[in-house]
Each structure stands twice: as C-alpha cells, then as structure tokens.
Amino acid sequence: MTNKTFNTLDCSIASYQLIKKESEKYWENIKLDTCWGWQIQKDSKWKTGLSEIQLEDFQKKLGLTFSESLKNYFRTMNGLDKLGINNKAGEGEIEFGTTFYSYPDDIDTIKSQIAWILKENNLTDNTLNVPPIIPYLGHRFLILDEEESVLSMYGNDIIFWAENLSKGLASDIFSIHATIDTDNIKMNTFWNKRIM
C-alpha cells in the first residue's frame, strides 16, 4: 500500500475491502523476520466477515455498542485463517497465537485485554464517562467515542497509533508510519489525556 492510498483510507466498507485485498496479496510473498513478536504467516487470508446477527451477538457478548466503522471492519473481515507466529528471534520454541481478533474465537481474550487496560489505569467497567475501548490486534485499541482514534495501549503506557481504524490496520499490516495530524484530535478527551 502506498502512502497516497493510505492517506485516502476512511472507515467505509470500500476502504476495508481495499485493505483486505492488498494485505492478502502482500502476505503471499511475506518472509518472516528472526525477531521477537507476532508475525503474519505467509499466505494468510482474512476470514469471512460477519453477518448482522453475528455482529449483534458479538456486541452483546462484550457488552459494547460497536461504532459503524467497527461494524464495517467486521462485516468485511474477521481475523485470519492462520495463527500468528513468534519465532522468538531463534532463541526458543516457536509459538503460535492470535494476531487480529475474531468472533467468536477471541471473545475471552478481548474481554481480558479490556479488563487489563482498565485495571492498569485504575478504572472499572462502572467508572463514569470513560469511553469504551476494544482491541483489534494485540495492544491496538479503537476508542469507541466520537473521534474513534486508535491508541496503542500496554497497561498505562498509551500512545497515539492512528486517526481511525482503517489507518490503524494499514499501519500494522504494511508498516506505514504516517504522521498523525493531532491538530484534528481533541487532546482533552478521557483516553487522550492519558497519552504518554
């Protein structure tokens, strides 16, 4: 994906379809690095997107109301058909695990990731005026508020990652590190105030 294409991404189904198509093509020839951390396996494909009934059940099981952009993402794709691989830089036994979270396989993982972030930030599910969060990959979280920015959240270590979900996905898949225009981001919202 080029930077020019990246800059046009919004949270429409068309943008997610483009990400799906380009990422599957990209993964056809991907080579694993000898490093720590999860990587996508060669020839990985996205699982089929969710139906409206599945989306409703997903929201109900998480106790969340998804934004339209999150629904569009899950309507288009729902995790990968192959587990991610962590070759531990050649220093141990190779591990396999989830990369992009999917329904229904990762409901418990999603819940535990949310609970961990809340605990590390001294919050509870019942803390007032805290916009809900949902991880889509590892420690990348979509903030379910009016801005819908993506933050990288590891405990209470929080940084901006992307201005929307489609750009967050593209940044993670294609290693695009675009400058985030913080002029259009409200720095006084709940989670943004916690950015390091």
Side-chain angles (χ1 to χ4, degrees):
M1 178 171 286
T2 66
N3 282 337
K4 184 177 179 182
T5 302
F6 175 86
N7 288 329
T8 67
L9 293 174
D10 57 23
C11 291
S12 65
I13 288 178
S15 283
Y16 293 120
Q17 288 171 335
L18 177 65
I19 291 168
K20 180 179 181 178
K21 178 183 172 188
E22 290 207 12
S23 60
E24 289 181 350
K25 183 178 177 185
Y26 177 71
W27 293 328
E28 287 175 5
N29 299 307
I30 198 162
K31 295 189 185 331
L32 295 176
D33 292 324
T34 303
C35 65
W36 290 89
W38 296 107
Q39 299 179 69
I40 306 298
Q41 292 193 63
K42 185 178 187 325
D43 294 322
S44 290
K45 305 276 187 219
W46 291 99
K47 295 180 194 174
T48 303
L50 303 179
S51 69
E52 296 305 309
I53 292 170
Q54 290 170 316
L55 275 171
E56 287 298 320
D57 188 56
F58 196 2
Q59 293 173 90
K60 182 179 175 184
K61 286 189 168 142
L62 292 177
L64 296 173
T65 301
F66 290 0
S67 62
E68 197 62 22
S69 66
L70 187 58
K71 288 179 185 178
N72 285 343
Y73 165 61
F74 280 114
R75 286 173 178 134
T76 309
M77 46 203 169
N78 178 37
L80 299 178
D81 65 347
K82 293 184 179 184
L83 292 172
I85 186 168
N86 180 356
N87 61 31
K88 298 183 180 179
E91 297 180 10
E93 191 172 321
I94 292 174
E95 290 182 337
F96 294 90
T98 300
T99 51
F100 293 95
Y101 299 123
S102 68
Y103 164 91
D105 304 336
D106 299 311
I107 289 173
D108 289 339
T109 302
I110 292 168
K111 285 180 176 180
S112 79
Q113 286 284 84
I114 294 168
W116 175 58
I117 295 298
L118 293 177
K119 180 181 177 195
E120 290 296 312
N121 286 276
N122 299 312
L123 304 167
T124 68
D125 288 336
N126 299 323
T127 305
L128 295 177
N129 302 317
V130 177
I133 56 175
I134 183 168
Y136 65 87
L137 164 73
H139 54 270
R140 305 288 192 254
F141 285 79
L142 176 66
I143 310 305
L144 296 173
D145 63 6
E146 66 280 351
E147 288 187 339
E148 295 188 66
S149 56
V150 173
L151 303 180
S152 183
M153 305 172 91
Y154 193 83
N156 64 359
D157 182 4
I158 301 172
I159 62 171
F160 277 117
W161 189 250
E163 61 192 77
N164 64 42
L165 181 56
S166 63
K167 288 183 177 180
L169 286 163
S171 293
D172 285 308
I173 295 167
F174 303 107
S175 298
I176 296 172
H177 300 289
T179 302
I180 299 170
D181 183 6
T182 56
D183 291 341
N184 296 325
I185 296 174
K186 296 177 187 168
M187 294 306 294
N188 63 348
T189 60
F190 182 84
W191 288 110
N192 291 352
K193 286 193 281 188
R194 293 179 178 271
I195 290 173
M196 307 296 270

